[in-house]
Amino acid sequence: DAMVIQNPRYQVTQFGKPVTLSCSQTLNHNVMYWYQQKSSQAPKLLFHYYDKDFNNEADTPDNFQSRRPNTSFCFLDIRSPGLGDAAMYLCATSREGEQFFGPGTRLTVL
Amino acid sequence: GESVGLHLPTLSVQEGDNSIINCAYSNSASDYFIWYKQESGKGPQFIIDIRSNMDKRQGQRVTVLLNKTVKHLSLQIAATQPGDSAVYFCAETHSGGYNKLIFGAGTRLAVHP
């Protein structure tokens, strides 16, 4: 019973070509998060939505944008991917306390 | 502080032994702590949590210990199994409402038969 679903699981894009990653949840949680995780590092928070309120981390590049059209869905848009953006992108949700993570999308930039 | 390490410390144990993974947290105001397990190619998976009004909490084969005096958290895994091989992250936050998780650097647990 998947609770936080991410599609696709693997995404290959070309340098500079916009890409969108998607996340959906069946938990009806009001908070959704996007993290970037590079090899052998902890997840790094990019931004989160508290209901419809968007909150950007101070060091998140402008190249990263997000949309949350409804409670269940959240998208991560990378406008012009660079080689340094190759990473695992994790979506998470929470109501209070514990965050539930999706399986992640592995992004490769060629 | 935020995790910045590029090389994960590794704990190697024999199958059946007990494992202890340690974590130092940074914020004295944090009142909720979580241990996550992350297997290769997967998202972090919740293992166990503890609130600051407790110093010990037990789950199935896992125990978390919290020492607020020295801001130290540990995860004990009893009778470690090959399926326990993964990277383990501690995380700290405030409980209630929106919570920004601050992750520790992570520890790789390698279980040998």
Side-chain angles (χ1 to χ4, degrees), chain B residues 43-108:
Chain B
Q45 177 187 4
F46 173 90
I47 303 174
I48 192 168
D49 59 0
I50 189 167
R51 299 194 182 277
S52 58
N53 61 351
M54 303 173 69
D55 53 22
K56 181 180 180 179
R57 188 157 188 238
Q58 287 185 290
Q60 189 174 16
R61 280 200 311 118
V62 294
T63 300
V64 55
L65 299 178
L66 174 62
N67 185 330
K68 295 182 289 292
T69 302
V70 295
K71 292 191 286 186
H72 183 267
L73 199 65
S74 69
L75 177 70
Q76 300 177 1
I77 304 174
T80 313
Q81 302 169 0
D84 296 326
S85 294
V87 177
Y88 290 80
F89 291 101
C90 66
E92 59 178 301
T93 187
H94 287 281
S95 58
Y98 158 63
N99 310 293
K100 176 175 178 176
L101 283 180
I102 299 174
F103 283 90
T107 296
R108 187 180 305 280

Side-chain angles (χ1 to χ4, degrees), chain A residues 41-62:
Chain A
Q41 295 184 25
K44 177 181 182 299
L45 183 64
L46 296 174
F47 26 60
H48 76 277
Y49 275 93
Y50 193 107
D51 294 322
K52 293 184 178 181
D53 293 332
F54 176 73
N55 297 272
N56 205 32
E57 292 299 299
D59 57 354
T60 298
D62 293 340

